[in-house]
Structures are given as structure tokens and as C-alpha cells.
Amino acid sequence: MSWQSYVDDHLMCDVEGNQLTSAAILGQDGSVWAQSTKFPQLKPAEVTGIMKDFEEPGTLAPTGLFLGGEKYMVIQGEPEAVIRGKKGPGGVTIKKTKQALVFGIYDEPMTGGQCNLVVERLGDYLMESDL
């Protein structure tokens, strides 16, 4: 299966009639493995900040999480595993695997819980596959 089909079929899937706004799978170095058409172009410093927060949880909280210049408030996460952010009625979930970062960006009517489910389920599958 191609990386693009993981994004198209597993991240951009229908969840109770709702869908992510955009999604992507990136290497931990920031290289894009696959992404949806509306996924923002991340700056190298943004990827560096995300990786640093995985290593030292809480580093993004004071400044916010930036994706393509858009600021998200960091709301919760799991050290070394998940970062969750909120922006207005939407937000983002980022799941770290052994080699990649799985991103899901959502807006109403999708909920944060639905986004978490979609992103973390694929991330867990990739972890089990040693990816």
C-alpha cells in the first residue's frame, strides 16, 4: 500500500458523517511521505518544534504549535506519543511513530475525539508495523 492511500483511505475517511479537513504523514525529518490537498506547507522550524515537544513535553505550550504559520493552542498530549492542539472550533492531532509523524487537522462538525481516534488508530497500526 502506498503512503498516499494511507492518507486517502485511513485518515481522510468518513467518521459518523464527518471528515478531517486535511491530513499527512511526514518523516520525522519533515519530509512529506503523503498528504491531502489542503494540508499546510510546514516550515522546518515547525517540525523541529514538534519533535522537541515530543522529546521534552511542554516546550510548545508557552508559544503554541504552528502548522504552516497557523497557531494552535497545545491542549494535551501523551509524552513521546501524541500532541493535541486547538484553534477555534477545530484543532489538530499529531501521533509520533518510530519513523513518522501522522497529522490530522479538523474543524466542526468533526470533534477532537473523532480526530484523535482516526489519527491515533493509524499511528498505532504503523507502530505495530515498526514504521
Side-chain angles (χ1 to χ4, degrees), residues 65 72-76 83-87 90-93 106:
L65 164 66
Y72 292 79
M73 180 176 65
V74 178
I75 53 171
Q76 72 180 124
I83 297 171
R84 296 183 186 100
K86 188 92 173 115
K87 179 178 180 248
V92 61
T93 301
Y106 69 95

Side-chain angles (χ1 to χ4, degrees), residues 75-130:
I75 53 171
Q76 72 180 124
E78 297 164 26
E80 285 293 316
V82 180
I83 297 171
R84 296 183 186 100
K86 188 92 173 115
K87 179 178 180 248
V92 61
T93 301
I94 307 168
K95 170 75 175 178
K96 180 182 174 208
T97 70
K98 292 180 181 172
Q99 299 177 29
L101 299 171
V102 181
F103 290 79
I105 298 174
Y106 69 95
D107 214 335
E108 286 184 331
M110 184 171 241
T111 66
Q114 291 171 324
C115 179
N116 295 342
L117 183 72
V118 170
V119 171
E120 292 177 40
R121 185 171 32 197
L122 179 60
D124 289 343
Y125 171 77
L126 295 177
M127 291 281 286
E128 290 166 13
S129 303
D130 253 1

Side-chain angles (χ1 to χ4, degrees), residues 12 17 19-20 23 28-29 36-37 43 46 53 58 67 76 78 80-81 89 94 96 102-103 106 111 119 124 131:
M12 298 301 292
Q19 193 177 43
L20 292 172
Q28 291 184 5
D29 61 356
S36 64
T37 53
K43 298 171 183 149
E46 294 171 340
D53 196 77
L67 301 175
Q76 72 180 124
E78 297 164 26
E80 285 293 316
I94 307 168
K96 180 182 174 208
V102 181
F103 290 79
Y106 69 95
T111 66
V119 171
D124 289 343
L131 297 169

